Amino acid sequence: MSDRNTANRDDEGSRIATNRAAAAIAVGSLLVAGAIALLARRGLLEFLVARGITVDALPMYLLFVALVVWLVIWSWGRLMSLLQ
């Protein structure tokens, strides 16, 4: 009986940690979007984009962007499921 209670507690602890991670990523995505909007409004974004990226680093950038997009979609989905 105590083993089942311990398993439930571990499952709840994992769920809470997952929800905290989802909330942190969702809030972080809002902060990043706000920072990008602020940079664009001040005209600093064009300076950063104008420098460009090297072609050999492009696959790593694309992988990073895909991972970030997936994490943001997952976290917002998780956060919205908590609010239902």
Side-chain angles (χ1 to χ4, degrees):
M1 179 113 165
S2 69
D3 291 336
R4 189 168 59 181
N5 289 339
T6 303
N8 288 339
R9 238 181 298 141
D10 290 343
D11 186 40
E12 286 296 317
S14 177
R15 186 176 298 147
I16 290 171
T18 302
N19 292 341
R20 284 182 184 160
I25 293 170
V27 170
S29 68
L30 288 176
L31 292 175
V32 168
I36 290 173
L38 183 67
L39 286 174
R41 183 168 283 208
R42 296 200 181 229
L44 298 174
L45 195 60
E46 289 84 19
F47 173 73
L48 294 174
V49 174
R51 296 180 62 202
I53 59 172
T54 59
V55 175
D56 59 344
L58 188 60
M60 188 60 73
Y61 285 123
L62 292 176
L63 180 64
F64 178 74
V65 167
L67 178 65
V68 167
V69 167
W70 178 80
L71 279 173
V72 168
I73 290 171
W74 170 81
S75 65
W76 278 102
R78 182 82 179 188
L79 195 61
M80 291 300 127
S81 71
L82 286 174
L83 298 176
Q84 290 180 347

